[in-house]
Amino acid sequence: MSGTTLLINLAGAIALLLWGSQMICGSLLRGFGSPLRHWLGQHLNNRWLALLCGVGITGVVQSSTAVSLMASSFTAAGTLGLAPALAVMLGANIGSTLVVQLLSLDLSLAAPVALLAGFLCFRLRDDSRFESIGCALIGLGLMLLALGMLGATLGAVEGTPVFQLVMTSLDGDLLLALLVALLLTWMCHSSVAVVLLIASLAGTGLLSPATSMALVLGVNLGSTLPSLLSASGNVARRLPLGNLLVRLSGAALLMPWIATLGQWHVIEQLPPALLVVALHTAFSLVLALLFIGFTGPMAKLLTRLLPAPAAVTDPGMPLYLDEAGLEVANIGLSNAAREALRMADMLSGMLDRVLQLFRTANQANADQVRHIDQSLDLLSAAIRAYLADIGKEGISDQDADRSQEILLLVINLEHAGDILATSLAHLAARRLRRGEPFSEFELSTLYPLHQELLDSLSLAITVFLREDLPTAHQLVARKENVRRLEAAASREHFRKLREDRGAWAESGDIFQRLLRDYRRVHHHIAALAYPALERAGERDIEHAYLNEPLPGETSISPVKENSPCAS
């Protein structure tokens, strides 16, 4: 077999191994990511429990990098303290070693069994969770097949002169071996795959025990780099940096003694492949026991090293749309939901300034409304683009529904802000500039409508966060209250115009348009109740806002073509 053919076989085996690992991690997070995220957020207050959770979750998803991304997202969001998150990573490091031990066994018969079981599970049940389990089993089968291919290829590579020359050069330079393993692990984004590769190489007999241990240390350092480099912002970098410091401390303590340890009789008697796996496990286990008691001081140190950034001056700039969240759908959706809630706060601020504009002819209030609307549009565009990126790799049905709800909230809040800025605030400012302040009757009519909008906005956020059906019913019922207030105010206003023949017609027309704008804004807010009612099977067709635009208004679809929910 030629050298080119061997290299192609070796690269193909490694690619299949990485692809199988990615299938397991991605499918399980896609199918069970949301329940896992909620469970983690509620049960990680104790450091020992957090460590065990890290072990168990990494053993399931077979990726300590994915666990690091999830924990980093929790710490950045403030739902998980940095100290328990560090304990989670100590457990995740142990969990990855357990995966290596399992896959290092002779599981040649398990590969076809896993592939067959995964195919049957994927095809027999039309359910997203069964499909995720099926994909995970197929990924496991692919990993086992890749390990078999890797062993056969390395057996053929062992006798080639080039391979022997490369191994000889690494065998004489422990620091070079560490750096090569670090770089390879960072490129592959999988410590499990690289450790299994090193174990296979050690099994050929070309690596000394000292070189094997140096390579393992390099793998442990390289596995921390993907999470650290993908994090954006100081807060998100704290956890991966802490994980790197822990492993770097262990490597710095062990590296000077590797040559001496490699000459121990006990180590020399161990099979080379078993030595690699055992050292990988012992290294993570000892570090966990040493540093589990120092997670609190480490958290304080990392907070000082990476302080939280100053507040962003432009509210339209996203704060939580971390690129690391795109790797795990439920984390990305949580980030998008937090930004959507910021949009709701901005809309509430616009309403407050519009109310001030009714009272005083202050151009600054009108300018503030316009500036907030620009920030609202900017943030809305960022959230929609972020949601589209989350859907590129495919998401579960549950996450797809949540993505559509977030998109619906963003679109309706954006349109409500447009009405406030381009119509309602503009009309109020134009009338006040002409020296025609609002009468007591007009203000007493607009105030109840304004309060209805604020109350309905609070109810809409409650429905969005808790999916509370009674609150959703209450929100829909308020549409009729707003309609009645608008109709009563309109009738009373026309009656006063008939009595006062000297009233200026345009002033009356502006007031009527203000009443209609309030109802239009409330229409978009009340629309946020329908997803919860639709899931509960209680949505009435006559209330379907998709087919019930107000006069002069275009129907709004909650799913855009560039969204991850569009089919």
Side-chain angles (χ1 to χ4, degrees):
M1 186 180 295
S2 66
T4 303
T5 304
L6 289 176
L7 288 177
I8 293 176
N9 290 336
L10 182 62
I14 295 175
L16 186 61
L17 185 66
L18 294 175
W19 179 250
S21 176
Q22 177 65 28
M23 281 190 66
I24 295 175
C25 177
S27 58
L28 290 179
L29 290 177
R30 191 162 53 242
F32 304 94
S34 295
L36 181 62
R37 173 180 171 273
H38 292 305
W39 191 89
L40 284 177
Q42 298 175 356
H43 297 85
L44 295 186
N45 295 324
N46 182 276
R47 66 181 66 178
W48 290 101
L49 180 59
L51 186 143
L52 293 177
C53 288
V55 175
I57 296 171
T58 307
V60 172
V61 301
Q62 301 197 12
S63 174
S64 59
T65 302
V67 177
S68 177
L69 291 173
M70 294 175 66
S72 298
S73 175
F74 293 151
T75 56
T79 57
L80 177 64
L82 184 57
L86 290 169
V88 170
M89 288 312 304
L90 293 176
N93 298 335
I94 299 175
S96 64
T97 66
L98 300 180
V99 176
V100 172
Q101 292 185 41
L102 177 63
L103 296 179
S104 63
L105 301 176
D106 184 11
L107 301 173
S108 56
L109 186 60
V113 173
L115 290 172
L116 178 60
F119 175 77
L120 294 176
C121 189
F122 183 84
R123 295 297 298 271
L124 292 182
R125 289 294 299 271
D126 186 15
D127 183 89
S128 60
R129 296 198 174 188
F130 277 89
E131 291 178 357
S132 298
I133 295 174
C135 288
L137 290 174
I138 292 175
L140 177 61
L142 293 179
M143 288 188 68
L144 297 176
L145 285 178
L147 292 175
M149 293 174 57
L150 196 60
T153 304
L154 290 175
V157 171
E158 180 181 357
T160 60
V162 176
F163 182 77
Q164 292 180 358
L165 179 62
V166 172
M167 291 297 101
T168 303
S169 63
L170 286 180
D171 198 38
D173 194 335
L174 299 181
L175 182 59
L176 178 61
L178 184 145
L179 294 176
V180 168
L182 184 151
L183 181 62
L184 182 61
T185 307
W186 170 67
M187 293 174 59
C188 295
H189 282 55
S190 175
S191 61
V192 174
V194 179
V195 170
L196 292 174
L197 176 62
I198 295 173
S200 300
L201 293 173
T204 62
L206 294 177
L207 297 178
S208 65
T211 303
S212 299
M213 289 188 284
L215 289 171
V216 171
L217 293 181
V219 171
N220 280 272
L221 294 177
S223 62
T224 65
L225 297 181
S227 300
L228 180 62
L229 296 178
S230 63
S232 61
N234 285 352
V235 178
R237 292 191 185 100
R238 290 172 182 171
L239 179 60
L241 178 60
N243 190 30
L244 174 61
L245 293 178
V246 169
R247 296 198 181 194
L248 188 61
S249 301
L253 292 175
L254 187 59
M255 192 68 181
W257 303 96
I258 284 182
T260 303
L261 292 175
Q263 298 176 358
W264 283 13
H265 179 72
V266 176
I267 291 180
E268 289 181 342
Q269 295 301 315
L270 287 175
L274 180 61
L275 172 64
V276 171
V277 177
L279 177 63
H280 186 48
T281 303
F283 183 75
S284 297
L285 185 60
V286 171
L287 287 181
L289 295 177
L290 289 178
F291 284 92
I292 188 66
F294 297 96
T295 54
M298 283 189 62
K300 295 179 181 179
L301 175 63
L302 292 169
T303 303
R304 293 194 189 98
L305 292 176
L306 297 173
V312 180
T313 55
D314 187 357
M317 297 300 294
L319 300 178
Y320 309 112
L321 301 184
D322 194 343
E323 291 185 4
L326 298 175
E327 301 293 333
V328 184
N330 58 89
I331 296 177
L333 293 175
S334 176
N335 294 339
R338 296 184 69 193
E339 294 290 358
L341 294 178
R342 289 185 60 225
M343 289 185 62
D345 292 337
M346 293 163 66
L347 184 67
S348 178
M350 292 180 70
L351 286 169
D352 292 339
R353 284 162 177 79
V354 167
L355 186 61
Q356 295 174 13
L357 192 60
F358 290 152
R359 296 168 178 165
T360 58
N362 190 349
Q363 183 62 33
N365 289 326
D367 294 338
Q368 288 179 349
V369 171
R370 186 176 66 257
H371 292 156
I372 295 177
D373 181 60
Q374 293 174 354
S375 299
L376 200 68
D377 294 341
L378 179 63
L379 185 56
S380 173
I383 296 174
R384 294 199 304 270
Y386 191 78
L387 290 173
D389 289 338
I390 293 175
K392 285 183 178 179
E393 300 297 330
I395 55 179
S396 66
D397 295 341
Q398 181 181 2
D399 289 335
D401 291 340
R402 185 57 174 170
S403 177
Q404 183 174 351
E405 292 175 13
I406 298 172
L407 187 63
L408 175 65
L409 175 65
V410 169
I411 292 174
N412 279 282
L413 291 179
E414 180 183 5
H415 281 274
D418 290 340
I419 296 172
L420 288 176
T422 61
S423 182
L424 200 149
H426 175 72
L427 291 173
R430 188 175 74 180
R431 178 166 166 177
L432 292 174
R433 281 197 303 268
R434 294 184 174 182
E436 300 172 4
F438 290 93
S439 66
E440 290 297 327
F441 162 74
E442 292 172 329
L443 290 177
S444 64
T445 303
L446 293 174
Y447 287 166
L449 282 172
H450 193 91
Q451 189 61 43
E452 285 287 335
L453 260 65
L454 291 174
D455 294 342
S456 294
L457 183 60
S458 298
L459 293 177
I461 298 305
T462 302
V463 174
F464 176 74
L465 292 176
R466 299 175 52 189
E467 298 186 4
D468 191 345
L469 287 179
T471 305
H473 288 298
Q474 184 179 356
L475 179 57
V476 173
R478 295 177 73 92
K479 291 180 63 177
E480 181 63 20
N481 295 340
V482 172
R483 189 195 66 79
R484 290 175 180 173
L485 287 173
E486 179 201 15
S490 179
R491 287 194 301 268
E492 183 65 16
H493 184 254
F494 278 122
R495 187 186 65 79
K496 289 183 175 295
L497 287 179
R498 287 194 297 269
E499 294 177 354
D500 185 5
R501 298 294 182 180
W504 193 17
E506 184 176 356
S507 299
D509 177 65
I510 289 178
F511 178 73
Q512 292 290 333
R513 293 168 67 182
L514 289 177
L515 294 177
R516 179 180 176 277
D517 286 341
Y518 264 115
R519 186 184 174 192
R520 291 171 63 201
V521 173
H522 190 272
H523 174 78
H524 290 290
I525 295 175
L528 303 177
Y530 290 111
L533 297 176
E534 191 173 41
R535 277 193 304 275
E538 300 181 12
R539 181 175 176 178
D540 194 344
I541 300 299
E542 66 179 358
H543 292 300
Y545 73 95
L546 293 177
N547 300 319
E548 187 195 10
L550 291 174
E553 198 169 12
T554 305
S555 175
I556 299 172
S557 173
V559 182
K560 290 190 175 182
E561 291 182 359
N562 62 347
S563 77
C565 307
S567 58

